[in-house]
Every structure is written in C-alpha cells, then in structure tokens.
Amino acid sequence: MKRKIAAIFAADIAGYSRLVAEDEEETLRRLASYRLVIDDFIAKASGRIFNTAGDAVLAEFPSAVEAVRCAIDIQESLRTRNMAYPPSRQMSFRIGITIGDVVERDGDLLGDGVNIAARLEGLAEVGGICVSRAVHEQVANKLSVQFADIGAQEVKNIPTPVHAYMVAMRREDGTYATPQVKKVAKAAPAPNWMWPLVVGVVSVVAIGVGGFLYFTKLETAQVTSSPATSIAAAPAPGPIAAPSPGPTSTMAAKAAAPMPTSSPTQMAAATPMPIPSPSTASPGKIAVEAVPFIGERQRAFLGNEYAAAGDYKAYALNIGGFFGTALNQPTEEAARNGAVDQCQRRADAAQSPRRCELYAVGNKVVYSHGAPPMPPQPWFRHDAITERAFVPKDLPMVREQARTRLENIYVQAAKSRSVALGPGGQYFWALGATSVDDAARRSLESCGAFAGSACMTVVVDDVFVVPIPTKLRANGFFHAATNPSIVADGRDEVVRKLGDATGWNAVAVGTAGRPGLGLKAADEQTAINGALADCAKHDSDCHVIAIGPFTVGPMN
C-alpha cells in the first residue's frame, strides 16, 4: 500500500432507483451510453477511474483544476443529452470533488479523501458540482468558474464539518444559476427540564441490571459438576467456486448493482463466524470453466500449472482479456503484486484502458464482480438469408472511431475472431481464439462486463451473423416483451412468432400500438412491406419499429 495526495471525483445519479423501477432496460441502456461520455472526458483530463458500483463513479486526477474542468464538461454534455427526454426521465448526475490523502491498494483508493468526495456529491444539486475548500483554493483563480460558498457542512461519518462550495452551472442563455444551499438538519437539543428525568431513569435501569447480573453469577457458580462448554470452530471452507452469475452494476458497472443473494458476506452476516482472510488458502481447484474473459489456453494453464503450484500464487485479469500470474512466491503479498503488475504491463503495452484486478489468491477466488451478464445460448446462428460480408462502416450504433479501429485491427487479424455489441453501442472483439465459439464467448463476456447488460454477437470471422438494417437506422436492441410501443396484450404474440423466425423479420405498430409482423422474408424490404401491411389490418398510421434484433428509426 502507498499513500498519496490526489484530487478525488465522485459522481452518482440522482433518483436512480426510481428511474430503474419505471423502466429498467431503458435506464440501463442510457446509463451505459452516459458512462461512455463520462469515461471519455475523464480519460481526456488525465483522470483514472478506480472504482464503480451501480450508478456511481469514483476517479482520481493529478490536478484539482483538471478534475473541476472535467466535471463541468461532463455536466454540460449530459445536460444537452437530457434535453431529448421529459423531465421525469432525465438522468442527471451529482458530482463531488475534494483533494485528500488516500491509500492505494490493488489499484483502488481508500481513505478520508474518498469518503469526503462522496459526501460532497450528496450535497451537490441535481446536475451540479460541489467542491471542498481545498479544491476551491486551487481552482478559484485558474478557471472562469463562479462559486457559491455554502459554509461548513456536517456530513455523515466525517467527524469535523466540511467547508464546501457549489459550482455555478451555466444556463442555456449563458447566465449562471445560483446554487441552492442544502440545509443539514441537526437534532434539536433536549429541554433542560428533561435531564433530571433522564438521570433518574438511567439510575433505575443500572440498579436493575446490576441485581440481575449478581444473581445470575450466583446461580452459575453453583453449576460445578457440568463439563466446560466449548464453542466449536466453524468448519474450514470447502473448495471455492467462481462467483455465480447475478445482477450486475456494472463494471459496471455501473448498471444497477444488487449483489447475489448467496454472497459470502451475506452468509456471514446471517451466521456469525470468522470470515477467512485473503491469505487463507482453500483446498481444491479454481473452477476454470467459470473464469471470464480469457481463452481456452489460459483455462488449461489454470487447471494444470497454476493448480500444481505452491501456496503463494495469484492470478490477475482485466475485462479486455489480459492476465498475469505469479507462482511460487516467497510471500502472499509478493504473489498479489506480481500478478497484478504483470497483467497491467501487458494491458498497458496493448494500450488497453481497463484496469487489472486480482481474480485468485492461492486457490481462493477473490474477484468481487461476479460473472458478467451473458445472453442465452446459442451465442450466434448462421443464416444464409441474412448473412453478408462484414464491412466495418455498416456496424450499427457505434462511433466512427470504433469503425476505424475495426478496419485497422479486426479485419486484418487471423481467425477465429468475433465482435459483440452492447445495447448502448458498446463493443468488444476477441481475436486469435481457438474456435469461433471461444471467440464469441470472450467478446460477449468482456462486452457484458463493460455494458452492464447482456450483449449480442454481431460478427463472427468475416460475416455479420445478425440482420443489419440498411433501410432504417438501428438505434438499440429490440425486446418485444418489454417494448413500450407495442400494446401490452400484443407483446406475447410477437415474442412467440419471432421465436423461431429465420430470415428477415420486421415489426410495425400504429397509433394504438397494435403490432404487425413481416416474417421469414427473403430480404429487408419485403419484411418491412409485410410488417406495414399486417399492421394496417389492425391499426392506422403504421411505422416500422424493429428489423431483426434492432429497434430502428429514420435515417439521419
């Protein structure tokens, strides 16, 4: 562990639970999209995200000026994006920033600096920024930013009040909003007349408890013939399996992040027992088939060389598929550091932005994120009617930069390879796998961990394996069972009819939400025409909302 001074940035979504409860799928999709914006701004400002949980983001910056400038850019960018939604569905962040002394451990940061940043985030307005006095002193004369001094604020679990400032955010007309000071409620002091009553009650209780303990001691002393009772130690843990799949926060994030109900932490809370420390080696082998992101060769290594190595060993990985190993080390600390360092060097050499984390220490899995969300198998199907040669410029929902990278790297790589696409335009590829199934699994796992929800295999080797719309613009994943454009009592039938439909398929709806389907067509236009004609039988003003696995809209 090492200490350092850093500018700590904490962001969280206001009213996130409500947004998820109203429309979970749409909220997770937008969160993934907004996280791309946030991650991009943080990277450009030389920041580093060191932790995410659910909808929260924690990052460090070498400069308070860069942290505040980055926060302002994020809020202004997200404000523009929110203008496309009604006020009740807008997704706005609060941001808190402080400068503090922190401890770095396995890439994560701990300490008062992190805690205070989180508390400042709670003080910030919706769509606003709240900073500590230390940050204000560093930034006041360096940025053209207006501040409102809100004074010393008492916050939870921080012993001394935190002097805070609100950043005045710019309005659409160029003026600055005046931040509203949050009042921290204080408990009213007890009236003077209550103190004698309190003292009297406490005295009576103390006398009663003392008498009870005295007579209990007498009774216990009389039981001398019984053997001493020993508390049985908790049995040693058995073989540790890899974390079971569960809802993700997301790497993600940060999708919503409920923990699996059978997590070791919750079991320990229900049944008090000593929790094994990370240094406690567990018998047995790691469930190598459950280790995410890596290829079959690495799975074989874990099942053979790693399993046979001595006690002090560790294995690290990141969601990009990079890994690091340290075997037969003199101490556990050396094994931990060696595995993470090796993994991070490999990731840095390949310019991977993903942080390496410990997966296993000894034979114990310590990876805390669980299994990434995955779609049901099969992960892809070949359909000669819809398959066509992969051309990066035709990949929907991704930015132009992604298409360029695919052209320069993916297209030139050897088989077996695959590209997975997320519901918010996230993408990951796997190259040089032992089989196309291995490539599909790895790309889906990495994409799912990044997106916080299941992704879809769109490319295998040199072909698109899903229908790619060309007549309308793909803008999301289509899920008939939850699509709000389709009237509720018509969704089940759409799901059923699409379940075994090969070829080109399209869905249209009218003003009443009655669906029309164009199924098993030989080409995209025929599917569109069929859906519109079917919809016109039950509804009016019909338009196409889905082609293949995508929701669609007009071409820009």
Side-chain angles (χ1 to χ4, degrees), residues 381-388 464-465 501-504:
R381 288 189 176 95
H382 288 292
D383 185 345
I385 296 176
T386 59
E387 275 188 9
R388 63 184 177 90
F464 283 114
V465 291
T502 57
W504 285 92

Side-chain angles (χ1 to χ4, degrees), residues 2 4 6-10 35 38-39 41-52 57-63 67 70 102-110 114 344 348 353-357:
K2 65 178 181 179
K4 63 181 178 180
I8 305 299
F9 165 113
R35 274 295 310 277
I38 293 172
D39 291 8
F41 275 117
I42 290 174
K44 288 178 179 177
S46 302
R48 178 183 74 91
I49 296 174
F50 62 85
N51 206 338
T52 60
V57 178
L58 291 171
E60 64 166 329
F61 292 81
S63 159
C70 176
V102 293
V103 175
E104 184 171 1
R105 185 175 67 190
D106 295 335
D108 201 359
L109 298 184
L110 308 169
V114 178
Q344 198 61 57
D348 292 344
R354 308 300 161 198
R355 180 169 59 91
C356 288
E357 300 180 65

Side-chain angles (χ1 to χ4, degrees), residues 377-408:
Q377 293 196 47
W379 293 320
F380 65 91
R381 288 189 176 95
H382 288 292
D383 185 345
I385 296 176
T386 59
E387 275 188 9
R388 63 184 177 90
F390 169 59
V391 180
K393 69 179 181 63
D394 293 338
L395 183 65
M397 299 169 53
V398 301
R399 293 179 289 183
E400 196 58 39
Q401 181 185 10
R403 298 188 178 102
T404 301
R405 294 187 68 223
L406 285 161
E407 182 70 48
N408 294 337

Side-chain angles (χ1 to χ4, degrees), residues 468-489:
I468 303 296
T470 60
K471 310 297 183 183
L472 295 167
R473 182 175 63 88
N475 53 31
F477 286 5
F478 177 64
H479 298 287
T482 57
N483 191 282
S485 299
I486 304 173
V487 67
D489 62 8

Side-chain angles (χ1 to χ4, degrees), residues 6 46 87 91 173 182 235 281 354 537 546:
S46 302
M91 183 178 288
D173 60 3
K182 288 195 173 186
R354 308 300 161 198
K537 299 175 183 177

Side-chain angles (χ1 to χ4, degrees), residues 11-13 16 27-29 31-36 38-39 49-58 93 246-259 293 319 354-355 357 367-373 426 445-453:
D12 206 352
I13 294 176
Y16 182 70
T27 299
L28 295 179
R29 180 186 62 79
L31 172 60
S33 174
Y34 283 23
R35 274 295 310 277
L36 288 175
I38 293 172
D39 291 8
I49 296 174
F50 62 85
N51 206 338
T52 60
D55 58 312
V57 178
L58 291 171
F93 282 75
T248 301
S249 104
T250 133
M251 135 86 279
K254 281 215 49 320
M259 292 297 292
F293 316 134
I319 69 172
R354 308 300 161 198
R355 180 169 59 91
E357 300 180 65
Y367 191 66
S368 61
H369 302 296
Q426 310 87 350
E445 287 175 339
S446 295
C447 180
F450 179 53
S453 56

Side-chain angles (χ1 to χ4, degrees), residues 163-185:
H163 198 120
Y165 293 76
M166 295 286 195
V167 177
M169 302 303 295
R170 189 162 38 206
R171 297 189 182 98
E172 291 297 319
D173 60 3
T175 62
Y176 287 85
T178 302
Q180 300 297 313
V181 178
K182 288 195 173 186
K183 299 293 185 181
V184 180

